[in-house]
């Protein structure tokens, strides 16, 4: 149920928050526990905001640390007392892309070119290596607009 305090066990990442203190920044966090059993732990607001180009956001959870990368560069990191394994259910829906758990939140408006889930935490180097190349970004632009990249 939405907004009644009974939602628990989640990790989230919002690419452009509208919440006070996070305006325009990447907002991420984790919560384990139903109702008031556990408190949501938010990571610090990202040091950079999304621009207008194709960008890649990567959220890595390892032990009790969540690290957020924007185009392979670390932009936020924080610790929590939870286990990521507690968040992922054995069966059923594991999450949503572009949908909030809370009814008042708007749906995400974005062009999503690729989504990947890994069963292990990537290192900072692996995050950098996983970034799309300029050629791949050009192909995303061309697919979206039906045209070639200007000057490309």
């Amino acid at each position: 149920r939405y907004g009644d305090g009974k939602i628990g066990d989640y990790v989230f990442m919002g690419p452009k928050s509208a919440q006070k203190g996070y305006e325009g920044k990447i907002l991420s966090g984790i919560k384990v526990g139903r109702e008031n059993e556990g408190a949501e732990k938010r990571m610090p607001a990202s040091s950079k905001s999304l621009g207008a180009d194709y960008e890649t956001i990567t959220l890595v959870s390892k032990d009790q640390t969540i690290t957020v990368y924007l185009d392979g560069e670390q932009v936020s990191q924080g610790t929590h007392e939870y286990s990521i394994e507690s968040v992922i259910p054995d069966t059923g829906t594991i999450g949503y892309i572009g949908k909030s758990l809370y009814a008042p939140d708007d749906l995400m408006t974005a062009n999503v070119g690729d989504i990947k889930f890994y069963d292990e935490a990537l290192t900072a180097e692996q995050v950098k290596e996983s970034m799309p190349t300029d050629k791949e970004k050009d192909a995303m632009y061309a697919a979206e607009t039906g045209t070639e990249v200007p000057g490309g």
Side-chain angles (χ1 to χ4, degrees):
R1 292 185 292 190
Y2 296 115
D4 64 3
K6 297 187 185 221
I7 299 171
D9 301 345
Y10 58 81
V11 173
F12 74 92
M13 186 280 303
K16 280 192 174 182
S17 178
Q19 295 185 22
K20 186 175 181 179
Y22 292 90
E23 295 94 341
K25 303 290 185 181
I26 301 168
L27 172 59
S28 61
I30 185 171
K31 180 176 184 285
V32 174
R34 302 283 176 206
E35 299 189 35
N36 296 321
E37 293 173 14
E40 181 177 273
K41 174 66 177 176
R42 292 183 175 190
M43 301 303 106
S46 63
S47 59
K48 292 185 176 183
S49 298
L50 294 176
D53 295 328
Y54 286 98
E55 294 167 302
T56 301
I57 301 171
T58 307
L59 186 143
V60 175
S61 179
K62 181 170 175 67
D63 300 322
Q64 276 67 47
T65 301
I66 290 178
T67 307
V68 179
Y69 298 87
L70 178 59
D71 287 334
E73 179 184 333
Q74 182 180 320
V75 294
S76 178
Q77 184 176 67
T79 60
H80 56 85
E81 61 275 12
Y82 303 123
S83 164
I84 192 73
E85 288 81 12
S86 299
V87 175
I88 302 168
D90 293 330
T91 61
T93 303
I94 65 166
Y96 302 96
I97 304 299
K99 177 181 176 182
S100 173
L101 294 173
Y102 295 93
D105 291 351
D106 293 332
L107 297 178
M108 180 177 76
T109 303
N111 295 317
V112 178
D114 190 19
I115 297 174
K116 296 176 185 169
F117 294 91
Y118 297 89
D119 61 358
E120 63 184 23
L122 299 180
T123 65
E125 187 59 36
Q126 289 170 317
V127 168
K128 287 180 183 176
E129 290 171 1
S130 73
M131 293 299 101
T133 64
D134 287 342
K135 186 175 182 176
E136 290 168 326
K137 286 183 179 183
D138 289 350
M140 288 181 220
Y141 177 85
E144 177 189 349
T145 63
T147 63
E148 292 298 316
V149 176

